[in-house]
Amino acid sequence: MLLGSTAMGFGIWSMHFIGMLAYHLPVNIHYHPGWLAISILLPVLAAYAAFRMMARNLASNLSMAIGSFWLCVAIAGMHYSGMAAIRMPYEQRYDWLLVAASIVIAFAVSFAALKLSHANQRKGRAPGQGAKMLLSLLLGAGIAGMHYTAMAAVSFAGTEAEAAHARETAERMQAGNALLAVIIGGSMLFILALVMASQILDKRLALRIAASNQRRYDSIFEHHPDMVCLYDPSGRILRANPAAERIMGYAASELPSRFHTEMVNPGEFEQLKACFLAALRGESGTVEVTVRHKEGHLLHLSCTMVPWVENGRVQDIYTISKDITGSVKTERELLAAKRDAEEALRVKSDFLAVMSHEIRTPLNGVIGMSAILLETELSEEQREFVQVIHGSGALLLSTINDVLDYSKLEAGKMQLSIAPFSLNGLVRDTAMLFQTQCKQKGLALACVIDEGLPDAVLGDEQRICQVLINLVGNAVKFTAKGAIELAVQPADLETAEACRRVRFEVRDTGIGIPDEELAHLFQPFYQAKNGRAKRHEGTGLGLAICKDLIDMMGGTIAVTSTVGEGTRFVFELPLAAAAFKGSDA
């Protein structure tokens, strides 16, 4: 960049003074050393600033304008500082319109040159000989146009006595012009030397960069942990890295003589061929293939094909193949384990269905006969024994039903039966089931139904009843004194016509649940650690079944509780208003 700036600065300076040689004045002319030095340094520094701007950023018109400004400074600044260096008997006078025109010419041509340079950079390639020639012509025209416009802007004024020395001055000018010509000639030789030095340095730098890139490429190629191969467009391996020998078992000298199709499973050849043809069209792709190791066993490879494009054509194709044999084996083992687990789950579900049926049949007989026996005349001791039999049978039946329901939910075999039903009837029938237990424990059982709710709604009555029975049953079980309330109302206080979600609340004044237990309450087989609740322990499936059923019906459930004050379960379900068959609604 420094050499280019120096060459361009001296080129502008030489053009100016060669132009001045063509401008004859019949007076003695000499140059001020200070201004002459400034006229040399100024274009060099301005050109360097312009090149720095071009090297950093030319993406916007503003950055181009700044770069053009510095080139304009290099051209115009050199000219006018060179003119200021002239010492003669005549006074220099300028037409400022032509001065402004010279500066505009320098700026406009510089901007056009930078625009053309940026257009070549945006295409991602180095400018060709034609573009370089056009850039040179633009900058040359800008320098010459600015120079001669500026010379047209200057005029000289002097006395007749001064003009009388024209011949003597002209003779002295020959020596001065000769000296100036020597200086300019030396400058041109200096510029030529700079250009040659720049070319040599550029070539050395390009060679150094190419060697560095080659070493970097070779290092990546040789030390890549996956198999990397280079193919020609016909599909023959040209080069392979050491990982290929480690993965495939073939020596590096053996692989280049083989076609890739010779090692691939025939059933996957068409898939591999399609990916290879896509790479020949310049499209990268990945394909999984099975190849045979040199020792005979199969390998699974994930092969990525990347085209190497040069001068708009695909010259070669690189493939990066990762050995995924272990992953494929693990995946197959997981699929087999999944199938085994699903089969075991199916067998378990079938077993539970059969066993629950076989157990419930005699158990219903035990419960039924014990209920009949309780209606006969029995002694107090006998009645107590029969009640234990009846209660134990009912508890066992409830446990079997919970296990069977949870098994169906886990296997995804639980089916919903959506039909219109009476919401008021469901809630009141559920409350009636616990009236006797509440009276025996001295508990008040309240049932509150919002009058704005429609009576006929669409949903699975049996599953909603199952959830309510479980929640109210738990409330009765864990409440020793106080009251239990079952409330039903629209969610978010919606009107009856727009009601789509119904909120069910079961509140009690029982022993409550500690905060650390609430997060685990709906997990299967989980039981609260509350010491006063241990005598009520069951299977731990009731609340887990409730949550799964509510999730199936598109609802949500939550619980809040305070130890010693009570618990509140809230669940919401989408229940659209419906009409019973035969009604006018």
Side-chain angles (χ1 to χ4, degrees):
M1 192 179 297
L2 184 60
L3 288 174
S5 304
T6 305
M8 185 172 184
F10 272 90
I12 297 172
W13 184 84
S14 300
M15 181 274 153
H16 170 79
F17 281 98
I18 289 174
M20 290 301 297
L21 287 175
Y23 197 81
H24 295 286
L25 290 174
V27 292
N28 183 23
I29 297 177
H30 64 277
Y31 296 91
H32 188 278
W35 279 106
L36 191 63
I38 292 174
S39 69
I40 296 175
L41 291 177
L42 186 60
V44 173
L45 296 177
Y48 182 78
F51 289 161
R52 292 282 294 182
M53 175 61 65
M54 287 186 284
R56 185 177 67 225
N57 182 19
L58 277 179
S60 65
N61 288 330
L62 177 60
S63 59
M64 289 188 194
I66 296 175
S68 304
F69 167 77
W70 285 114
L71 285 179
C72 180
V73 169
I75 298 171
M78 185 274 134
H79 176 86
Y80 288 106
S81 61
M83 292 298 292
I86 296 177
R87 292 294 179 266
M88 65 174 69
Y90 292 158
E91 178 185 357
Q92 298 181 32
R93 297 177 181 177
Y94 288 94
D95 183 342
W96 295 107
L97 290 178
L98 290 176
V99 170
S102 68
I103 295 175
V104 169
I105 290 173
F107 181 85
V109 176
S110 300
F111 188 84
L114 292 184
K115 197 74 172 179
L116 179 60
S117 175
H118 176 62
N120 283 279
Q121 292 178 5
R122 191 169 52 186
K123 293 178 182 178
R125 66 173 187 267
Q129 293 298 326
K132 291 180 179 178
M133 183 63 68
L134 182 57
L135 282 171
S136 302
L137 290 175
L138 279 174
L139 288 175
I143 296 170
M146 184 273 158
H147 173 83
Y148 288 107
T149 304
M151 290 305 297
V154 67
S155 60
F156 301 94
T159 64
E160 291 296 330
E162 293 169 340
H165 298 282
R167 184 178 300 275
E168 179 185 354
T169 301
E171 292 176 356
R172 286 197 296 266
M173 283 178 61
Q174 297 298 324
N177 289 341
L179 179 61
L180 186 59
V182 170
I183 295 175
I184 293 174
S187 298
M188 296 303 297
L189 291 175
F190 179 66
I191 292 173
L192 181 60
L194 287 178
V195 172
M196 293 178 63
S198 176
Q199 292 292 329
I200 293 173
L201 289 177
D202 285 347
K203 185 175 180 179
R204 289 183 177 179
L205 180 61
L207 291 174
R208 188 181 300 115
I209 293 174
S212 176
N213 289 336
Q214 181 67 31
R215 289 192 301 271
R216 186 182 297 111
Y217 162 78
D218 288 339
S219 177
I220 294 174
F221 189 92
E222 296 295 327
H223 297 93
H224 201 288
D226 298 327
M227 182 171 70
V228 183
C229 297
L230 175 64
Y231 291 86
D232 64 13
S234 66
R236 185 179 294 275
I237 299 178
L238 301 177
R239 184 182 178 188
N241 69 340
E245 179 179 356
R246 174 176 53 82
I247 294 174
M248 295 294 300
Y250 292 97
S253 59
E254 296 176 300
L255 277 175
S257 63
R258 303 178 63 87
F259 286 98
H260 67 280
T261 54
E262 298 177 15
M263 297 177 282
V264 178
N265 183 11
E268 299 171 344
F269 174 70
E270 291 300 326
Q271 184 181 3
L272 182 66
K273 182 180 178 181
C275 189
F276 191 84
L277 292 176
L280 288 177
R281 295 192 300 269
E283 303 172 5
S284 301
T286 301
V287 62
E288 293 186 5
V289 294
T290 304
V291 299
R292 188 167 297 279
H293 192 272
K294 184 178 181 180
E295 297 177 356
H297 60 271
L298 296 179
L299 298 174
H300 298 279
L301 301 179
S302 176
C303 181
T304 300
M305 297 188 178
V306 182
W308 176 24
V309 181
E310 186 176 2
N311 297 326
R313 296 180 57 188
V314 177
Q315 302 294 332
D316 296 309
I317 294 176
Y318 278 94
T319 64
I320 303 174
S321 302
K322 184 177 182 63
D323 186 2
I324 58 171
T325 305
S327 301
V328 171
K329 181 180 178 182
T330 302
E331 182 180 356
R332 290 178 177 177
E333 291 175 351
L334 289 175
L335 288 175
K338 180 177 179 293
R339 287 193 295 268
D340 293 342
E342 290 174 347
E343 179 64 18
L345 184 61
R346 185 190 64 79
V347 172
K348 183 191 75 171
S349 299
D350 294 343
F351 172 77
L352 288 175
V354 173
M355 290 303 297
S356 63
H357 176 74
E358 296 298 328
I359 293 174
R360 279 189 292 186
T361 299
L363 189 58
N364 284 329
V366 172
I367 295 174
M369 294 306 295
S370 62
I372 295 174
L373 190 59
L374 285 173
E375 296 178 357
T376 62
E377 293 184 4
L378 299 171
S379 64
E380 289 297 326
E381 185 177 13
Q382 290 173 333
R383 181 172 297 278
E384 183 179 351
F385 291 162
V386 174
Q387 286 177 343
V388 171
I389 293 173
H390 185 78
S392 299
L395 180 60
L396 180 58
L397 182 61
S398 175
T399 301
I400 292 173
N401 289 334
D402 284 348
V403 172
L404 182 60
D405 286 344
Y406 184 75
S407 178
K408 287 182 178 179
L409 287 167
E410 190 180 41
K413 294 184 177 181
M414 180 71 74
Q415 300 293 327
L416 297 178
S417 179
I418 307 299
F421 67 92
S422 172
L423 185 60
N424 292 342
L426 169 66
V427 174
R428 298 193 184 281
D429 290 346
T430 303
M432 288 295 297
L433 294 175
F434 298 94
Q435 288 291 345
T436 302
Q437 297 183 44
C438 290
K439 286 183 179 180
Q440 291 175 351
K441 298 184 69 172
L443 302 174
L445 178 59
C447 185
V448 180
I449 303 176
D450 192 286
E451 295 181 355
L453 284 171
D455 182 36
V457 294
L458 196 64
D460 191 329
E461 180 181 13
Q462 180 182 355
R463 299 307 172 188
I464 298 174
C465 180
Q466 182 177 351
V467 174
L468 289 175
I469 289 175
N470 195 297
L471 296 180
V472 176
N474 283 343
V476 174
K477 185 189 301 183
F478 295 108
T479 302
K481 61 180 180 178
I484 298 170
E485 183 180 14
L486 172 58
V488 185
Q489 60 187 6
D492 300 327
L493 301 178
E494 296 172 332
T495 61
E497 290 77 15
C499 179
R500 289 295 181 270
R501 294 183 71 85
V502 178
R503 176 182 295 141
F504 298 82
E505 295 187 16
V506 178
R507 294 187 290 267
D508 64 59
T509 57
I511 58 177
I513 305 170
D515 292 339
E516 61 271 15
E517 306 287 346
L518 294 178
H520 310 284
L521 204 58
F522 296 106
Q523 296 178 0
F525 305 108
Y526 181 82
Q527 296 175 334
K529 303 301 187 295
N530 193 318
R532 289 181 292 171
K534 288 187 179 295
R535 66 178 184 273
H536 301 295
E537 287 183 356
T539 61
L541 291 175
L543 292 178
I545 292 173
C546 287
K547 186 178 187 309
D548 288 343
L549 289 174
I550 291 172
D551 289 341
M552 281 185 63
M553 292 184 285
T556 58
I557 185 170
V559 58
T560 56
S561 183
T562 303
V563 176
E565 296 183 10
T567 304
R568 174 175 172 265
F569 282 90
V570 178
F571 68 94
E572 295 181 3
L573 293 175
L575 300 175
F580 296 117
K581 292 183 179 180
S583 66
D584 297 334

